[in-house]
């Protein structure tokens, strides 16, 4: 499936806030003091390392909001593979505006491309298997929607966007309800017909409890938490396709293949959003 | 110097936005469906790995804004060293509110503690030398003020907060001005008397140009960009204490000692804010 | 299932904006001119007609944000049945604040109680049948989250909260995809594993196309659009419980019983949010 | 008098908020998954029932803010009479954007046209008489300015926009002041010379109190609350044109003619803003 | 009439914005570096010159929003006369918070007290005459509501709060309408029954045109623009109390008595809001 | 140095808020009622007195945000000298929009030009001497960034923009630290290497304490508070160019020359931002 860009109305405020944060109360005092107002500049956003690009619309918007005379010509699209030295976009126009907006544009682009790249590396590793790679709610506060977008750019899939768009029953919920069964039943009774219910289980006994529920109230998915591949395999065998199966916990580039080989449908990973290093991208004069 | 907490008025909006992002349009539908409204819960924020804690006020605020009846008792202060299993804070009160606010509180706390820890590790490595460890403007969009705070919590120092609070003359500025001398003179003439001027130099020739300027207009600091330790040492010798010297580029835990040994005053590092992995902290029932 | 109140953080801005809209740039000039500052007042929110109450937290907040000395004592809870003359809450404290906040408090309370009441009337009519009564995205701009809450207060269930929390494939989508099958497949491939897919069908042929899809990609629900009860019954029989069935269109207090008798799981109604008259509630001195 | 459109700056935030509310954190996932990015679409906003249109600028803005390539050609103006099947506007351009913005555009248009239509029906009924039909402060929280605009579109007139733009003395104020006379005097003394003072009276005795005040301090208008037509007629006769007379309470399409025949200048009605059903308008492919 | 304080909800955002503007991205770095966190401080807001105080609630809020442990005890109320050295309020509590909030608190207090004082001086000068002293829309952008409040604190009265709460017909309007008569008739036909209409006239001929209008459509007030006292007197004689008369233009402490002596009802002055110097108030340790 | 305009992104919200404040909930009811929608108008912003213009971009934006069809042609640039009757800009286009936006545009332009003019008059008086004229943090709440810009337009220089961009040690800080020496050392230890430290001294003894500090920790600047010219001269002689010297207190057009003659580097003045009267500018039809 091709990647759909986020409507500008969904990202504009993030870019405005980032620019405001950088401009402060006096703007770019260095550039204003030194660069003549009519000077032109031409440059390119260049990958300093290989990876996946994401966030081009945010970068473009950073330049445009500083000076609408800046021409931003994308040579790549979000989700594209970058080799080192690849040109991502060319930028030309008033020198002042380009230099002033540079850091904010790069901060978005490098952060989101870092997430897309980390996601992509896991997705590639999983390739021979059917498992989809998926993010969590462990995102940078305030940036969830663009970080989840970057996960999609990297070929990943999205878990819940918040506490409100799906049910995820965890240990505290089960404890409060008294049993897996009661927790699931309470959830089903409470939410609308377009809300999925996922159940996190730590043991195969808990999984069996879920499987014992009648079809019309059973969970749509089970999250198999922190299970080693062999146990995951057993779980998948027990489920027999009745629920979507999701593996979570201790997923790294080293472990992900074995996890995928267990036959789970989804592998969710927190660190692709909370701990992915940036992808190094620079702005060079051309 | 002890770390000063940020006034609540400076962080409240960030926490409100993060909660709104997670609550969406229906709130925590899982918890609301399953956990009884009067149920109490008691837990602790526990370090899953060693490091430096930062962001306690943001975590506390996340719980309080969801339910003011939640009691958050900090056992550590921002900047404190954590060993694995250390209790950072205890939290007790209405179960629903605690579970609903948990992820947002942890997202702030783990992210900022990750930055503080990365900073601290570099600071320790530099210890025998006088160099201060310092961040850059390569921060997560919208979170600069709390990320710079986390750097301070880790024992680091802050570079510019934005484009407006100090002059930093880079290659494009020098090129536009025609010479180091003219770039510095234009900056001095333009900004107020409480604004420092730093000059980024790539070569020792450029550094000499700066040294040739009369004292009353010369830069306050020079950023020695991407120079190996030997060259840095030469630069420090040339400067003879007339300017603050700052080294930047390719700073890692491996290289930082040698860089510091060159005698520079400041070492600035982008990755402590843009690529530090989170510090793993969890909320456990107690 | 008991009704869960919305966290204050989700409704505070709505109440603040409504108060700001009413206070304008000079506040309550009538009350300020005439009522002495120390005068006390005691009154009650009284139902002028029977129905279901919803919005008490918004009303309470309106009074508190104007003057925290006002004591608001709820005698009913959201979702409770009201008979004419029932006291919903008593309010006492500074006369000025109570009179100033009255209209905003009532505007929220009457509007939301109107929605809850309209919902409840349909829910009651449907009672002997299993069908759940559900709202749509036809809500008042800006008030969706509280209007959907009012539907829950009235015993109804919620459909999608926005374009992003579930897939709903309509005629334009099917036309663009070329077939029901391709539309559903594209949706399944694109969205995460916690997103449900609903398909709107106008004919039983379209429904059959959906039934012909293999289980693992078939829609979770079908919206049977504008079908008379007899046709709905046929559709339900065809579906045999494989999908959730939803009836929509021309649902009134007169028609809803027959629709429910068709055996559908869900009946969705736009007018309970977009055209329900208010429930008349007044503030009387006591 | 021709209807004046609201400046875009006064409505833009309302439309942005409504779009944000509908797009959520992932946008229109159905359309993004199924409709090809280059597909065009052409349609028309069509009246499904007769009435008065209002809110075209808000609808236009909803489409434009989603995709500025969408061409919105209005065939009617706010305030125009619609017959069933009348085309209100044609819309063409990128299919995705049109389908994504459709619901928000319609939610504004149907809601405001409903208010305009309800107003217009009362205005027509009152026609042979001089009375102006007027709204109240019983409006949907946050939408007052556009609802009052819709009343004007329906041929109605506006009462106070808030607590601050005119004085309206009610029973609580009179009670606090001790007499009609003192209440009016306090108000006059307190407010600026461009603020009108209206007095609500329940009885003809109270009206007489007002008439006994000297001209230079007497109210500008009296609100005759809940009086039957015969009593209204008496009141109008007593006032002899000294004040504007306003009738309020129990105004329906059935009663409004008789009320108007009493000779009052203004008839105010709450339900045209708080309880008018929407006017049904749809978006059809053409 | 006693002065009514503005509800906190109307001023809170102004104070928050002013604090945010001053705290920037790092807070009060001087105080945080030097003042120990537990140090207490006690001081007083002291008048350095005589005048009228206004803005105490804004000052109080500035301290409270920085640290709710600060105790602010007002010794004066808004509108009170200050002699040099008068104590306006005492402030005690954590030294850091007091010193951090000081400048924002004083900026509000000195600015608003300056306006109140300028107003009061004119009001005193006018005393023997009936004329009320009144402000205009020439206010500092964003501060209109508190500046108009300060005018009331100084004993003045308020003109329009914006373009929307009363009609003021000026030369351009008359020119566009073709005549005074048509301009007034268009306005009357367009606006609601609680909106006053004022007409600005430059000549007595224009005034006569207004007087020739029948009572039920004539303006409520006339603004006699830039007329010398003798001409104002003639105008007042012509009007014979039919309209409120307002003088405007070239009003100073020297001219205001003569203007008032002409018998006008209202004298409006722009400079009390746009050009009043601050009242000097300081924060002294006690 | 030429004056650099503020990026539109830094001023847009200020202009939007000011327009919203003036338009209120109904817009310009006078103009809407009287001026035909197609009527054109042509006018000019004309100086009614001599001075320095500042704020043209804010005025232009006010017109454009009301109606983008309005053509604003600047004939002067910010910082230019105005003689009485000079045309600053011509404005043509739809009459309604121009008249509606006029007051907001003028409120910004007159206020900022007043500050620029006051600044310029002091700058001219100081001319023969080297001292730079500089503002303070005594600014109108919420307008600091544009008021500091106006100071630059008048030829002045800027002091701190907030509490966070430089250290300014005052008497309370010295008292808390116990000595000048300790206060300066604490500040130096706490802040980053691009933050300047200024010390306010009341006496020459305090100044000597600062001079006794070693070069690498001594303040960058000293603020000589409220010292008469002779004492300033002594202070300057003591400092011998080691620190920037700033004089503050009792600076008027009468005293500023003598202060400058003392040889100080900077003279800071609060009243140019907090008490400068507006520069009178009007909009005339042409």
């Amino acid at each position: 499936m091709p990647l759909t860009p986020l409507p500008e109305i969904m990202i504009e405020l993030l870019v405005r806030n980032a620019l405001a944060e950088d401009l402060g109360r006096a703007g770019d005092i260095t550039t204003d003091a030194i660069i003549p107002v009519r000077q032109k500049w031409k440059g390119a956003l260049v990958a300093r390392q290989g990876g996946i690009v994401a966030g081009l619309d945010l970068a473009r918007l950073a330049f445009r909001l500083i000076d609408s005379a800046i021409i931003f010509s994308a040579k790549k699209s979000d989700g594209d593979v970058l080799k080192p030295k690849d040109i991502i976009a060319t930028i030309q126009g008033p020198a002042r505006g380009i230099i002033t907006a540079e850091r904010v544009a790069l901060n978005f682009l490098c952060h989101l491309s870092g997430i897309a790249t980390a996601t992509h590396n896991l997705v590639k590793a999983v390739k021979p298997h059917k498992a989809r790679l998926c993010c969590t709610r462990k995102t940078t506060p305030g940036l969830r929607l663009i970080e989840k977008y970057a996960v999609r750019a990297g070929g990943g899939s999205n878990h819940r966007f918040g506490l409100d768009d799906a049910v995820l029953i965890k240990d505290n919920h089960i404890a409060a309800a008294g049993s897996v069964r009661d927790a699931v039943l309470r959830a089903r009774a409470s939410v609308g017909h377009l809300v999925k219910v996922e159940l996190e289980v730590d043991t195969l006994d808990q999984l069996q409890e879920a499987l014992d529920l009648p079809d019309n109230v059973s969970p749509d998915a089970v999250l198999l938490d922190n299970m080693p591949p062999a146990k995951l395999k057993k779980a998948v065998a027990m489920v027999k396709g009745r629920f979507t199966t999701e593996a979570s916990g201790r997923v790294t580039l080293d472990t992900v293949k074995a996890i995928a080989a267990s036959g789970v449908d989804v592998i969710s990973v927190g660190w692709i959003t909370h701990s992915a290093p940036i992808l190094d991208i620079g702005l060079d004069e051309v």
Side-chain angles (χ1 to χ4, degrees), chain A residues 41-270:
Chain A
W41 199 84
K42 188 169 174 184
L45 292 170
V46 180
R48 303 240 184 282
Q49 52 179 146
I52 302 293
V53 67
L56 278 164
D57 283 345
L58 293 121
R60 185 202 318 272
L61 197 50
F63 288 107
R64 201 187 78 207
L65 286 171
I66 288 295
D67 189 336
S68 60
I70 298 172
I71 298 164
F72 182 102
S73 308
K75 304 303 177 196
K76 300 283 178 183
S77 299
D78 280 356
D80 281 359
V81 175
L82 298 177
K83 296 184 307 296
K85 303 205 180 155
D86 271 357
I87 288 180
I88 298 166
T90 59
I91 298 162
Q92 61 185 103
R96 281 188 174 187
I98 295 173
I99 292 169
T100 297
E102 172 187 356
R103 177 56 26 224
V104 167
L106 287 175
N107 282 351
F108 277 114
L109 196 60
C110 296
H111 180 66
L112 296 180
S113 299
I115 291 172
T117 301
T119 305
H120 179 71
N121 290 338
L122 287 169
V123 167
K124 264 192 316 190
V126 162
K127 249 313 170 32
H129 304 284
K130 75 168 175 201
R132 292 166 80 170
L133 211 289
C134 160
C135 55
T136 68
R137 278 169 50 247
K138 295 180 179 174
T139 55
T140 313
L143 302 187
R144 187 169 289 165
L145 77 88
I146 56 173
E147 292 187 347
K148 295 236 166 198
Y149 167 82
V151 168
R152 299 197 295 276
S157 171
N158 294 144
H159 212 286
R160 292 196 296 174
F161 275 75
L163 292 160
D164 63 326
D165 54 343
V167 166
L168 181 47
I169 300 170
K170 301 196 177 191
D171 49 0
N172 286 319
H173 300 110
I174 297 172
S179 71
V180 160
R181 179 193 165 82
D182 280 358
V184 174
L185 289 180
R186 284 190 201 173
R188 277 282 175 225
S190 170
V191 301
H193 71 287
L194 287 184
V195 176
K196 286 206 174 173
V197 172
E198 181 161 20
L199 173 75
E200 181 178 315
V201 296
D202 298 320
T203 66
L204 297 184
D205 285 351
Q206 284 182 316
L207 178 58
Q208 189 55 51
E209 276 193 75
L211 286 162
D212 292 343
L213 284 163
D215 253 15
N216 63 328
V217 294
S218 68
D220 298 286
V222 285
L223 191 162
L224 307 161
D225 195 35
N226 265 322
M227 295 186 182
K231 201 167 173 189
L232 286 173
K233 205 164 178 179
K234 238 181 254 178
V236 170
M238 287 169 69
V239 171
K240 290 198 192 79
R242 268 187 64 199
F243 320 144
T244 302
T245 50
E246 174 185 348
S248 181
R250 298 185 200 129
V251 182
T252 66
L253 264 177
D254 292 333
T255 64
V256 74
K257 261 181 222 288
I259 293 170
S262 71
V264 294
D265 300 305
V266 176
I267 302 171
S268 60
V269 194

Side-chain angles (χ1 to χ4, degrees), chain A residues 14-25 66 104:
Chain A
L14 289 172
V15 181
R16 282 187 182 271
N17 283 348
L19 288 169
E21 180 185 60
D22 206 23
L23 292 167
R25 290 156 302 201
I66 288 295
V104 167

